[in-house]
Amino acid sequence: MQMAQTVRYMMEQSMILNFFGGVSQDPSSWTVDFDKVLRELAGWLLPIGICLLAEGLWLEKWRKIEPLASYRYVTVKKWWRQKFMKNLRNSVLTAAVLFVTAMAADTVSHGELSDKNWKVLLLWLAHMIMTMTFFMLLDLTGARKLAPAILLLEGGTFLVGFSNGRMARFMFGMWGMYCQSEWYFQDTGVPVLSSLLIEMTLIALVYVAGGIFLERKGKGFSYGRDCQN
């Protein structure tokens, strides 16, 4: 009965906000419903988990074809750049499919779309790209089995930020949530610009770190020739 009520409640609400907007409770309120916080956090983590799964399948496919395709890249830098850009493309495509599906569901259920959807998409997409690049770095370093820890990082840092407003803007799990941003809570929300800048910086750092890691493994500029031998 409780599950049926939960499903009915979610169908009555915006699918986009339920799964991509994050937790809508105001952490500064004295009447926080922590059961609702956990439900909304679970809804937030679901599409992230789906994206991680899709990314894992793509990376596994890449490993299978890598020995056949790597000879085309004379340097490890070119190989890493190609892999990184394909990862970004696949991450955006996966995220877009999920988001468009939610938009279609909202259109069917409510007959119209909110103008705030594009703000939700911007924050969620930037956060998703950053999360997927973290996953790719784990895969590159041989620590791919730690990928589920990304969900723990997401949930754990959100709970820290939610319980301590002064720490919220520094917490990984808060950055992508529209419902915890200043666009939703104007006075107490997490600043949008700083969140986006931090995420873009981290994406760039992952790219640089991956290149440094590969070069230190000794592949150097003989990568293409080594793969042929």
Side-chain angles (χ1 to χ4, degrees):
M1 180 65 71
Q2 185 175 3
M3 178 63 70
Q5 291 176 346
T6 301
V7 173
R8 190 182 307 113
Y9 168 79
M10 295 181 69
M11 291 301 295
E12 292 173 352
Q13 305 300 312
S14 167
M15 296 289 285
I16 290 177
L17 291 181
N18 279 336
F19 293 103
F20 303 96
V23 176
S24 63
Q25 296 281 290
D26 183 357
S28 63
S29 173
W30 290 96
T31 59
V32 173
D33 183 347
F34 286 100
D35 287 338
K36 186 177 181 181
V37 168
L38 295 178
R39 287 198 305 270
E40 292 181 338
L41 180 59
W44 166 260
L45 293 176
L46 179 60
I48 296 177
I50 293 173
C51 287
L52 287 173
L53 177 61
E55 184 70 8
L57 294 174
W58 178 82
L59 289 171
E60 182 64 29
K61 180 180 179 181
W62 177 278
R63 279 192 293 274
K64 291 180 179 178
I65 66 173
E66 183 179 347
L68 300 175
S70 56
Y71 74 91
R72 295 180 300 173
Y73 306 105
V74 179
T75 68
V76 68
K77 289 183 178 180
K78 290 184 178 179
W79 175 85
W80 172 237
R81 185 187 309 118
Q82 179 75 2
K83 182 175 182 178
F84 190 85
M85 294 309 297
K86 282 189 174 181
N87 174 78
L88 290 185
R89 182 196 65 188
N90 289 334
S91 298
V92 170
L93 287 176
T94 303
V97 167
L98 292 176
F99 198 86
V100 169
T101 301
M103 288 181 65
D106 277 359
T107 302
V108 172
S109 299
H110 307 292
E112 60 181 2
L113 294 173
S114 171
D115 57 359
K116 69 182 67 170
N117 288 344
W118 305 111
K119 295 180 179 180
V120 177
L121 176 60
L122 173 63
L123 293 180
W124 188 77
L125 188 58
H127 191 68
M128 190 53 52
I129 292 174
M130 180 190 65
T131 302
M132 293 302 103
T133 56
F134 281 173
F135 184 16
M136 187 167 59
L137 186 62
L138 290 177
D139 182 81
L140 183 69
T141 58
R144 63 186 66 93
K145 292 183 179 180
L146 295 178
I150 295 176
L151 292 176
L152 295 178
L153 175 66
E154 187 81 35
T157 53
F158 164 77
L159 292 174
V160 171
F162 189 83
S163 60
N164 187 337
R166 286 179 293 183
M167 295 291 294
R169 68 178 59 197
F170 305 110
M171 292 293 105
F172 175 85
M174 301 287 286
W175 294 334
M177 290 190 180
Y178 167 80
C179 291
Q180 291 297 315
S181 73
E182 63 183 357
W183 282 342
Y184 194 80
F185 293 118
Q186 295 183 359
D187 297 327
T188 59
V190 175
V192 170
L193 181 59
S194 62
S195 298
L196 292 174
L197 289 175
I198 291 172
E199 289 178 321
M200 288 188 290
T201 300
L202 289 175
I203 292 170
L205 287 176
V206 167
Y207 175 76
V208 173
I212 293 174
F213 173 80
L214 288 172
E215 289 185 341
R216 289 187 176 180
K217 283 185 69 176
K219 293 185 177 181
F221 292 94
S222 62
Y223 180 73
R225 295 188 294 274
D226 290 344
C227 290
Q228 297 179 59
N229 296 332

